[in-house]
Amino acid sequence: MKRPLLIGITGGTGSGKSTVSKEIFKSIHEKKITVIEQDSYYKDQSNLTFEERVKTNYDHPLAFDNELLVKHLRDLMDNKAIEKPIYDFENHTRKKETISVEPKDIIILEGILILFEEEIRNLLDIKVFVDTDSDVRVIRRILRDIKDRGRTLDSVILQYMETVRPAHLQFIEPTKRYADIIIPEGGYNKVAIDIIVAKINSILNN
């Protein structure tokens, strides 16, 4: 089997990374594509108390288990299956269960800091930055964290002001320079997504 095509999709929290990933996924036969979320690779914190876990800055590079993520990416690129972790955002630690992921022709890696880490960045064949206005991103973050992660409105806003926004300016926004493609207003830019899908198909058909 030939080496899979590895596509990185990044951008700030709430930028529309997941939407872009889903749109690309829908445009490719599901037997040929899989998605790996960087969020699944937050470090295990089972050795900490719940009070200590709550203080974790999830927007900082040190929050991620990049060693495991790189190993899993290399395994997939060597056409080996992996056991992807599952992160429990209500309890702020990794679950004991994992998800089996088989190698596919196309692997999408989606996450806020995938272009920050040089070792990950160098593995990517196509690097996409989803660029969305900050007011849109914060509203999406509020809606997601309340609905999907069991947070309160006050806690989401406080977290955004104390850690999310500073981390975006320090770690995420500067990685835009590494991108091959920048998508404005990600998730709703059909032309940009069609261009990426066309590029993927051209590579697959070569």
Side-chain angles (χ1 to χ4, degrees), residues 8 66 93 100 124 137 158 168 170 175 182 195:
N66 288 310
T93 193
S100 294
L124 301 172
R137 289 190 290 103
L158 182 64
H168 178 85
Q170 182 178 359
T175 66
I182 297 174
I195 290 171

Side-chain angles (χ1 to χ4, degrees), residues 7-10 16-19 21-22 35-40 69 107-114 144:
I7 303 169
I9 299 178
T10 191
K17 300 181 300 298
S18 296
T19 303
S21 298
K22 288 173 184 175
V35 178
I36 302 293
E37 306 84 2
Q38 189 184 26
D39 282 5
S40 299
L69 176 56
I107 300 164
I108 292 179
L109 174 63
E110 178 237 306
I112 59 173
L113 287 166
I114 58 172
R144 182 203 68 186

Side-chain angles (χ1 to χ4, degrees), residues 21-144:
S21 298
K22 288 173 184 175
E23 290 301 313
I24 294 173
F25 187 92
K26 288 193 301 184
S27 301
I28 306 291
H29 196 291
E30 63 179 21
K31 290 185 178 180
K32 293 186 175 182
I33 188 167
T34 191
V35 178
I36 302 293
E37 306 84 2
Q38 189 184 26
D39 282 5
S40 299
Y41 289 84
Y42 281 118
K43 289 178 179 176
D44 180 69
Q45 300 191 114
S46 56
N47 60 315
L48 303 177
T49 66
F50 182 80
E51 290 71 23
E52 290 172 322
R53 296 179 213 161
V54 171
K55 297 176 183 178
T56 298
N57 180 357
Y58 288 100
D59 294 87
H60 194 283
L62 293 177
F64 292 97
D65 187 350
N66 288 310
E67 184 177 346
L68 180 61
L69 176 56
V70 168
K71 180 183 183 304
H72 280 182
L73 291 175
R74 291 189 184 279
D75 284 345
L76 288 169
M77 293 169 74
D78 288 336
N79 295 299
K80 300 174 184 175
I82 64 167
E83 292 297 321
K84 184 176 72 172
I86 304 172
Y87 202 81
D88 184 341
F89 284 93
E90 291 190 27
N91 291 304
H92 304 279
T93 193
R94 197 176 288 174
K95 291 185 176 181
K96 293 180 180 178
E97 302 86 358
T98 58
I99 297 174
S100 294
V101 178
E102 296 291 329
K104 300 286 182 72
D105 292 340
I106 304 157
I107 300 164
I108 292 179
L109 174 63
E110 178 237 306
I112 59 173
L113 287 166
I114 58 172
L115 294 186
F116 180 82
E117 298 295 334
E118 184 178 8
E119 192 171 7
I120 296 173
R121 192 167 67 234
N122 291 339
L123 293 174
L124 301 172
D125 299 298
I126 300 174
K127 300 178 283 292
V128 179
F129 191 100
V130 184
D131 195 18
T132 303
D133 289 343
S134 58
D135 57 344
V136 176
R137 289 190 290 103
V138 69
I139 290 170
R140 288 177 180 169
R141 170 113 182 189
I142 289 170
L143 294 174
R144 182 203 68 186

Side-chain angles (χ1 to χ4, degrees), residues 139-186:
I139 290 170
R140 288 177 180 169
R141 170 113 182 189
I142 289 170
L143 294 174
R144 182 203 68 186
D145 283 6
I146 291 175
K147 180 182 177 182
D148 299 334
R149 298 186 176 179
R151 308 283 173 78
T152 65
L153 176 60
D154 287 348
S155 71
V156 177
I157 293 175
L158 182 64
Q159 183 183 33
Y160 182 84
M161 295 304 296
E162 289 187 344
T163 62
V164 177
R165 185 176 182 277
H168 178 85
L169 296 175
Q170 182 178 359
F171 302 118
I172 302 170
E173 186 70 20
T175 66
K176 191 188 297 184
R177 70 182 185 272
Y178 298 119
D180 301 309
I181 301 169
I182 297 174
I183 302 181
E185 299 302 322

